[in-house]
Amino acid sequence: MFRSFPAVSLGGSGKSLHGIVLATALSILWPGAGLAANEIRAVRIWPAPEYTRFTLESATPITHNAFTIEAPPRLVVDLENVEFNATLEQLPAMISPSDPYVSGVRIGRFKPGVVRLVLDLKTQVNPQAFTLKPVGDYGHRLVLDLYPSVPLDPLLALLEKSDPQPSATQSADKPVAALPGTTAPQAPDQPAPRAPDVARLITIAIDAGHGGEDPGAKGRGGTYEKHVTLAIARRLKTLIDAEPNMRGVLIRDGDYFVKLEDRVKKAGKIKADLFVSVHADAFIRSHARGSSVFALSERGATSAAASILAEKENQADTIGGVNLEIYEPILQQVLVDLSQTATINDSLKLAKAVLGEIGGVNDLHKPYVEQAGFAVLKAPDIPSILVETAFLTNPAEEKKLKDVKYQDKMTRAILDGIKKYFSANPPLARSKLAQN
């Protein structure tokens, strides 16, 4: 219980002794109560099969405490010295019914100076909570990443999709098993059964650049690179899947962030034969135009522009948000492993084939393949290229990139380049992903 003191003026400060005593008492009982409340100015949610991300953005760092409850599964996050405002109030309505991990969010004032978030979970998760310093257009961010307790296996998922189920016709035509001491009946005109032909299934990892918290470049018309790259990547997958001996796998199939390292790891886990990263270029001046194809460099970049572009693309993890406490900077190695020399040579062959085809769709920014230290191209045993489909910062090319016909032409050109590469460089070993 507080005792009341008469207000005493403190010589021109505009404060009273009563106010100071009250503020001191509050700060003892509720630390931070005397400070100006931190205002959450943006909340974003990025649901994805791999994980769901919550991002809370503010002008100053957010002090928090997070813990889980098992039955039923919940994640509780206490935000200290945070104002409960209209931005936070809209959070429950932002939860999608299709979110694989979160069913709902409850939010309210837990006690003076503390706002509590309770995330109702659909399953047990391994949560990660970390803060990010201001970068780009973002202020301070508190990030909550909810990973499944059992990580998804991309190879197993792909095998399940690739395993053809026998049709009703196939079941009806299945040879009848013979009884002991007899032979199985066969139709007179039906040929004897033979072992099925197993084709070499070529698996191509398609990487839509940027995503989620990392928007990539932005055109003057408001087009984000992350949306353009995903649209083109999906079209490329559709074309690849229509080929009898090819399978396309999207590194990301939605608007969410994937670390550069995880993009390369996923390509390795699905035993990809090729890795194609799709981007849309940007420049400070709007006159820059044309499409480009890049490969990894063993040494330095082939031009200053290529070096600057690689540096910009390698900042994706900083913008997208990586938990530095558990980050494994494998891709930040300066030296390229000797085993990558042959892979880089194959990457250059692939890049030249693709560049020759996309030159028939759009002007080329440079008439040759460029090289630089792109982190996303550092798979040691997978030929990898990065395709800049056009300049998003060029108004005319921004319009092209949003056009479905242009996207179709670009993806067909990329596929034609891939097929031309394989016609001259057929895969030597059978993939673990084979189909009948």
Side-chain angles (χ1 to χ4, degrees), residues 56-360:
L56 285 75
E57 186 179 349
S58 62
T60 57
I62 302 173
T63 303
H64 66 281
N65 179 42
F67 58 93
T68 57
I69 300 175
E70 292 188 357
R74 285 160 287 169
L75 173 65
V76 179
V77 184
D78 287 338
L79 309 175
E80 299 181 11
N81 193 38
V82 166
E83 178 185 344
F84 185 33
N85 60 7
T87 301
L88 283 172
E89 286 180 341
Q90 68 182 352
L91 184 56
M94 297 171 66
I95 303 300
S96 170
S98 61
D99 190 308
Y101 305 110
V102 181
S103 60
V105 175
R106 289 169 284 147
I107 183 170
R109 294 183 181 87
F110 176 57
K111 60 183 180 181
V114 177
V115 172
R116 170 163 286 187
L117 303 180
V118 179
L119 279 62
D120 297 311
L121 306 174
K122 295 180 179 179
T123 184
Q124 296 290 347
V125 300
N126 289 327
Q128 293 180 18
F130 56 96
T131 57
L132 297 170
K133 295 180 180 179
V135 61
D137 295 332
Y138 293 128
H140 289 274
R141 285 176 288 172
L142 169 63
V143 177
L144 306 172
D145 285 345
L146 310 181
Y147 290 92
S149 297
V150 180
L152 298 179
D153 185 340
L155 179 59
L156 180 60
L158 183 58
L159 283 170
E160 290 175 349
K161 291 181 181 179
S162 302
D163 185 20
Q165 297 297 322
S167 64
T169 305
Q170 289 174 323
S171 299
D173 293 340
K174 185 177 179 180
V176 180
L179 295 174
T182 66
T183 58
Q186 291 192 13
D189 297 331
Q190 182 177 351
R194 62 182 179 84
D197 292 330
V198 179
R200 170 69 160 91
L201 184 65
I202 297 171
T203 304
I204 300 172
I206 310 167
D207 173 45
H210 308 281
E213 287 286 285
D214 175 22
K218 183 180 180 181
R220 292 189 175 186
T223 308
Y224 285 109
E225 182 180 4
K226 65 176 182 176
H227 298 316
V228 168
T229 60
L230 183 58
I232 293 176
R234 284 172 170 169
R235 290 183 181 279
L236 181 57
K237 172 178 166 55
T238 299
L239 290 180
I240 290 174
D241 287 348
E243 296 292 320
N245 65 330
M246 290 186 179
R247 174 75 63 181
V249 181
L250 293 171
I251 296 298
R252 72 171 177 95
D253 191 11
D255 187 11
Y256 54 92
F257 171 71
V258 182
K259 292 189 299 183
L260 295 174
E261 179 180 353
D262 288 347
R263 295 171 191 258
V264 177
K265 283 183 176 180
K266 184 173 181 178
K269 287 180 179 179
I270 62 172
K271 310 297 182 184
D273 295 288
L274 297 180
F275 180 93
V276 179
S277 190
V278 180
H279 290 257
D281 217 336
F283 193 63
I284 55 175
R285 297 177 183 173
S286 61
H287 69 270
R289 59 180 298 152
S291 302
S292 307
V293 182
F294 293 83
L296 183 64
S297 172
E298 288 185 88
R299 300 175 181 86
T302 52
S303 70
S307 178
I308 293 172
L309 178 63
E311 184 178 356
K312 178 177 70 72
E313 295 295 355
N314 292 348
Q315 292 175 349
D317 282 350
T318 303
I319 298 172
V322 171
N323 186 356
L324 295 178
E325 294 181 359
I326 62 169
Y327 184 44
E328 301 175 16
I330 296 174
L331 295 176
Q332 303 307 314
Q333 60 186 3
V334 177
L335 298 177
V336 176
D337 191 276
L338 290 176
S339 64
Q340 276 190 306
T341 302
T343 303
I344 291 175
N345 289 336
D346 286 336
S347 299
L348 286 170
K349 294 176 184 177
L350 171 63
K352 290 176 182 177
V354 171
L355 186 71
E357 295 298 324
I358 66 175

